[in-house]
Amino acid sequence: MSDGIERTQNGGRRASPPRSGERLADWADGRLGIYQLAKSQMRKVFPDHWSFMFGEICLYSFIILILTGTYLTFFFEPSSAEVVYNGSYEPLRGIIMTRAYESTIDISMDVRGGLLIRQIHHWAALVFVAAMLCHMMRVFFTGAFRKPREVNWLFGWTLLMLGIVTGLTGYSLPDDLLSGTGLRFSQGAILSVPIVGTYLSFFLFGGQFPGEDFIARLYPVHILLLPGIMLGLVAAHLILVFYHKHTQFAGPGRTEKNVVGAPLMPIYVAKAGGFFFLVFGVLAFMGAVATINPVWAFGPYRTDLVTTGAQPDWYLGFSEGLIRVMPGWEINFWGHTLQLGVFLPFMLFPLVMTVIAVYPFLEAWVTGDKREHHLAQRPRNHPVRTGLGVAWLSLYAVLLIGGGNDIIALRLHLSINAITWAVRVGFFLVPVLAFIVTKRICNGLQRRDREKALHGRESGIIKRLPHGEYIEVHEPLTRAELYTLNIHEQPPAYELGPKLDENGVARKFTVRQRVRARLAKAMYGPGTYVPKATAEEYQALHAGWHESERDTSRR
């Protein structure tokens, strides 16, 4: 029978034998414990907020990168052997090129769907890094890196760095004139490293640039080593997200000990699946209609040529901007020539990124907070942290302008020297101004929230009192709205305490304590935030309103 029950000859009932699918499920459950795992985890709750989609875009674009990259490996040949092109693209016929470049042209011109897959792969790489940056900034601005998620912050930071390096290795493989120019730029930066720069260059390129082994060495790094490490980090990142639970924004019923949202099965999985196909569709559309990296227009790489207006992908524009605007300083030290005009910019970005990596630990040390936090914070309630994040983004934007100073000068008919000097000044000035402006905006929003919590929402209704005074009627906020506005903490800044102890003897403070006190004062001291409305202020204010209303009714 269709209901899985068989009837005996005397009218009895007995269960039908299990079907093949049920037997397979029983076999797997008996050896892997899948049923108990699924029973306990499939109903796990995930909160819902639009900013969480950045992390999902990272994951889906990474999956698309792996799928499209696997397809391209079937046709790409990582060889520096020189050949004469006789393929279907007539403008390049008879030109000497490497086999790597020839196979890239063949993928673009002759392989069915090859150009579409190449462009989807490149667009997915750009979106992947952009989504990672947005995701990390969301985590940074909302304080989602606090305990117990510091390790996951480091995983995400490492993924961002590896994504940038993987992008560099990826667009260097075709060996076209643009990628060769970028490699030449990278080789010059490596040569600027004091003492060991030439050794590093010879090791990477297998001799004098460009060398004959570099593409063959770069290929397994790009398709195997870096993606393998990133895949492991992505898996570890997701496991920790699953284990620690996702952060959620404060609201009614949401605390540090619960999660309010949709269950993993079936709601979250259905939404995630739909969003994956949406991301895939958008990337496919971009690959179909928007040309990117047209290697056939650049031609093969030659050491005596350079592409006009050569620009790296956007996530590496900062490096070129740093070196373009840096003065050409060069000094001789103990018989060694130090190219400070290249080496200092080359080392600045890793230094800044290192500060970003250790920031969660630095903030935890300054505050002394060792509690677990699962509620995301509103950026306005931490003006200094938000200002630091905006300052870093503004610095990146300034350097991106510096990396394209020639294109900007050409398109806007400006002096390239004027743009270079503007970037040099902006390098020091713009981040400071961005920090100050952001901090003031956050304080203004905090002040508005305080007034809103105390007085209620402006209704736009003007009322005349019996004694002739005009007032604007305010609508009181609901308890849920008051809770959301006032749930955030404003911890006092760490202080050293009195300089003299109870016996009048001068206390000795370590350098570590002094540094911590100064950082705490700068981040959480007076003037860094607007005190939030308290319950006592709210009750006193509304008690005064009730008294005035009773007096008015008596008159």
Side-chain angles (χ1 to χ4, degrees), residues 122-355:
H122 203 136
W123 278 118
L126 298 182
V127 172
F128 176 57
V129 180
M132 276 198 296
L133 181 62
C134 293
H135 180 58
M136 286 195 69
M137 288 296 98
R138 196 274 303 174
V139 172
F140 181 82
F141 287 133
T142 61
F145 53 75
R146 295 174 297 166
K147 183 182 177 180
R149 296 177 177 83
E150 302 97 331
V151 175
N152 226 6
W153 169 264
L154 292 179
F155 284 166
W157 179 89
T158 307
L159 280 169
L160 177 61
M161 295 296 291
L162 290 178
I164 292 174
V165 176
T166 307
L168 173 64
T169 58
Y171 75 66
S172 299
L173 284 175
D175 199 35
D176 60 287
L177 191 55
L178 179 61
S179 66
T181 303
L183 279 178
R184 187 64 167 176
F185 174 86
S186 303
Q187 192 246 359
I190 294 172
L191 288 175
S192 70
V193 178
I195 303 177
V196 298
T198 52
Y199 297 98
L200 290 174
S201 177
F202 269 68
F203 172 75
L204 290 174
F205 292 96
Q208 291 287 349
F209 181 84
E212 296 182 355
D213 303 326
F214 183 68
I215 295 178
R217 293 179 178 182
L218 198 65
Y219 185 66
V221 172
H222 177 72
I223 70 165
L224 185 62
L225 179 62
L226 294 178
I229 297 174
M230 294 175 68
L231 188 61
L233 288 173
V234 168
H237 185 79
L238 293 177
I239 290 172
L240 286 181
V241 169
F242 209 81
Y243 174 72
H244 292 144
K245 304 180 182 64
H246 208 296
T247 56
Q248 59 184 351
F249 286 94
R254 300 174 183 177
T255 67
E256 298 281 7
K257 298 181 179 180
N258 69 350
V259 180
V260 178
L264 178 63
M265 286 289 290
I267 298 176
Y268 188 81
V269 170
K271 292 171 65 176
F275 194 40
F276 169 77
F277 288 108
L278 178 62
V279 172
F280 205 156
V282 170
L283 289 175
F285 178 78
M286 294 170 65
V289 304
T291 301
I292 187 171
N293 197 23
V295 295
W296 57 88
F298 303 139
Y301 177 65
R302 285 176 47 182
T303 55
D304 59 334
L305 296 178
V306 64
T307 50
T308 303
Q311 301 289 321
D313 283 336
W314 70 268
Y315 49 84
L316 287 172
F318 69 91
S319 58
E320 187 147 344
L322 278 169
I323 293 180
R324 285 193 185 191
V325 303
M326 183 72 179
W329 292 346
E330 179 180 310
I331 63 174
N332 293 319
F333 183 73
W334 282 3
H336 295 277
T337 300
L338 303 182
Q339 294 284 351
L340 299 182
V342 178
F343 178 67
L344 291 181
F346 181 60
M347 296 303 298
L348 182 61
F349 180 76
L351 180 62
V352 174
M353 293 301 293
T354 301
V355 173

Side-chain angles (χ1 to χ4, degrees), residues 373-408:
H373 296 278
H374 302 286
L375 287 179
Q377 300 168 319
R378 302 175 77 192
R380 68 183 64 181
N381 293 328
H382 289 267
V384 175
R385 181 206 295 157
T386 304
L388 290 173
V390 174
W392 182 82
L393 292 176
S394 66
L395 175 63
Y396 185 89
V398 169
L399 295 177
L400 199 60
I401 294 173
N405 57 359
D406 54 340
I407 302 297
I408 296 174

Side-chain angles (χ1 to χ4, degrees), residues 441-452:
I441 292 175
C442 289
N443 286 337
L445 292 174
Q446 284 183 317
R447 194 170 290 108
R448 187 186 69 174
D449 288 346
R450 172 182 168 83
E451 293 297 320
K452 189 176 180 180

Side-chain angles (χ1 to χ4, degrees), residues 390-391 394-395 397-398 422-423 425-436:
V390 174
S394 66
L395 175 63
V398 169
V423 173
V425 174
F427 178 85
F428 298 97
L429 187 61
V430 171
V432 176
L433 292 178
F435 175 82
I436 295 173

